[in-house]
Amino acid sequence: MPVRSVSPTKLRPPRWLVLLLGAIIALLLAAWYWFGGAHTGQAVTPQAAASNAAAPAAATASATAQPQQSEQQVVSASGITFRLKRRPRLTVPAPPYGPAYALLEPAARAGDKAAQYKLGLLLYECRDVPGDAAALDQTIEHTYETRRRGGWDVDDPANEEQSLRRRYAECDGVPPEQRGKYRDWLKQAADSGLLEAELDLPLHLPQGDYCQYMSECSPEQRATQEALQQEAVDYLGRARDAGSATALWTFAAWYAEGDVLPQNNIEAYASFNALDQVFAAAGEQQRFDAMLADLSSHMRPADLAQAEARTQELLSNPNCCVLAP
């Protein structure tokens, strides 16, 4: 469902970032929960997903291949015939990351999209980990002295130290000079059309100096943050065009809430309606009756007619529809 608010914490990122990433993350988790078990009849909970992600790193030896998807032809409630595609998730590297890096880096350089994606996620985990023991000790000492790290407040320096030392050990074997290139690899995979990368690139922002509110931004910060928000819309748009139901869900929420994109009841209604028809065709429970009823109560008959036409247009996408990711 749409994300209407994010609880404030002491470490508060920019409002635009909360709205953007909060919507994407919550919706991706929800879609993962529902879509991940569609082909088995059982939903995959976030806890189970996290357990799967913690599989031994040795499994990465054969994990550069792209997931194989199954397809079946189905008919939607509106009479549109489309191909329902069930796509398993790409397994991602788990610590220790050194062996996985050694396996993925050559494949990524050779142009393997799945390897590029996984290498980007691996490097992201090590992006802010000091490269040697001396730098680690210096970072920890500075954290205790200032109770800050990476531009954010640190409530518990001892806990931060424990986490940093664990991550330092996990990233052993990953070249320090490569750790900041996580986004380069994710973007290569996304630009090559890998659906997972198109969905995940907006969740892995470049390291930089962000301001909390747009009104407080310098012109340079404002330009950077507006560009990143537009990038998120662009790449999620590519994923939607490629048939991703997850991306369609995200756009539905964006249009309904009017935070990332201008509010548009016609687009929101059409997107949620299309999703419900995809769920029904997949033998799953429809989930947006209340949302559709609420939206329709604010729409004229002409708007509803437009929304129904747009629903059919979305379902007529030749790439429709991919369940998971």
Side-chain angles (χ1 to χ4, degrees):
M1 298 295 292
V3 176
R4 296 185 180 275
S5 63
V6 178
S7 298
T9 64
K10 189 171 184 180
L11 303 182
R12 290 192 293 181
R15 173 172 168 76
W16 73 270
L17 186 55
V18 169
L19 294 171
L20 175 64
L21 296 188
I24 297 176
I25 292 171
L27 291 165
L28 290 184
L29 285 175
W32 188 357
Y33 177 88
W34 290 111
F35 299 161
H39 63 290
T40 63
Q42 296 179 343
V44 177
T45 64
Q47 291 86 348
S51 176
N52 292 337
T60 60
S62 60
T64 58
Q66 295 187 46
Q68 298 298 310
Q69 64 185 25
S70 62
E71 298 185 11
Q72 67 180 114
Q73 187 166 289
V74 297
V75 180
S76 70
S78 59
I80 303 297
T81 299
F82 63 93
R83 289 176 300 161
L84 183 64
K85 308 167 189 178
R86 305 184 191 275
R87 181 179 174 96
R89 293 189 63 84
L90 273 173
T91 56
V92 298
Y97 295 120
Y101 177 87
L103 288 167
L104 291 170
E105 195 270 346
R109 290 197 178 278
D112 187 314
K113 294 185 289 186
Q116 291 169 348
Y117 169 70
K118 296 176 185 181
L119 182 60
L121 294 181
L122 182 156
L123 293 173
Y124 181 80
E125 295 301 320
C126 301
R127 68 195 182 283
D128 60 348
V129 177
D132 57 59
L136 174 66
D137 290 340
Q138 185 178 14
T139 298
I140 291 172
E141 181 179 356
H142 186 264
T143 301
Y144 275 98
E145 290 176 350
T146 64
R147 301 184 75 87
R148 288 177 64 82
R149 192 171 87 82
W152 302 105
D153 293 342
V154 174
D155 290 330
D156 187 346
N159 185 63
E160 183 74 8
E161 176 185 1
Q162 182 181 14
S163 173
L164 193 55
R165 290 191 183 281
R166 173 183 55 78
R167 294 175 62 217
Y168 177 80
E170 291 174 348
C171 293
D172 184 38
V174 179
E177 68 275 10
Q178 297 297 318
R179 296 177 183 181
K181 298 181 180 180
Y182 58 92
R183 228 169 177 269
D184 296 339
W185 290 114
L186 288 173
K187 193 170 187 301
Q188 281 193 51
D191 288 341
S192 297
L194 186 67
L195 198 60
E196 289 87 347
E198 291 171 344
L199 292 169
D200 278 358
L201 180 66
L203 303 179
H204 298 79
L205 295 178
Q207 299 185 75
D209 180 23
Y210 298 105
C211 51
Q212 184 173 345
Y213 299 101
M214 279 293 192
S215 61
E216 300 172 354
C217 294
S218 68
E220 294 77 13
Q221 289 172 321
R222 178 185 293 271
T224 296
Q225 295 176 191
E226 288 177 346
L228 286 170
Q229 180 164 313
Q230 184 57 52
E231 180 191 68
V233 174
D234 290 344
Y235 277 95
L236 267 293
R238 297 186 197 186
R240 182 182 62 173
D241 292 344
S244 169
T246 302
L248 182 60
W249 194 330
T250 303
F251 270 91
W254 281 347
Y255 282 123
E257 292 300 296
D259 288 322
V260 176
L261 290 172
Q263 187 172 20
N264 187 318
N265 287 343
I266 292 174
E267 285 288 340
Y269 186 99
S271 299
F272 282 125
N273 192 20
L275 279 167
D276 255 357
Q277 294 194 36
V278 170
F279 284 136
E284 296 288 317
Q285 180 182 1
Q286 294 175 266
R287 301 177 179 92
F288 300 112
D289 287 346
M291 176 61 69
L292 291 171
D294 180 63
L295 286 168
S296 65
S297 68
H298 302 287
M299 298 168 68
R300 300 170 302 171
D303 295 332
L304 287 169
Q306 278 187 264
E308 291 293 343
R310 178 60 173 151
T311 297
Q312 295 193 31
E313 183 180 349
L314 290 170
L315 292 172
S316 298
N317 176 359
N319 296 316
C320 181
C321 290
V322 182
L323 298 182

